[in-house]
Amino acid sequence: MRVLLVLISFGMIAVPALIALARRDLPRGRRIGTALVIFLAPAAALGLIHGVPELDGRALQNPVAWTTLRLVLSGLALILPWCLYVWLAGARR
């Protein structure tokens, strides 16, 4: 079950990056840069979770609030690539 959840999570992160990489209306360098930004953006949210002791589950005060923030950041890590894809692939003038 854990493997299935990891594959689903990776798919939710990798698919928008691959779609951005497959676009033909932008130069190759810009497509690669956009795909890298989309693919690496969740690492910032997950890195914040593991970098802040309170978010890592060692909160001494207000553990429920820190747990809630940890859940919000985890959910953000899964939808952030799609939001970035839509924002970066918006209409070009």
Side-chain angles (χ1 to χ4, degrees), residues 36-93:
L36 280 175
V37 166
I38 291 171
F39 187 73
L40 296 176
L46 296 176
L48 184 65
I49 291 171
H50 293 291
V52 177
E54 285 82 6
L55 290 175
D56 199 16
R58 297 175 287 194
L60 300 175
Q61 296 178 349
N62 303 320
V64 174
W66 288 110
T67 301
T68 304
L69 184 57
R70 185 171 63 229
L71 288 172
V72 168
L73 286 173
S74 297
L76 173 71
L78 292 177
I79 64 167
L80 185 61
W82 289 102
C83 295
L84 283 174
Y85 171 73
V86 169
W87 183 52
L88 293 173
R92 304 275 187 240
R93 291 184 186 203

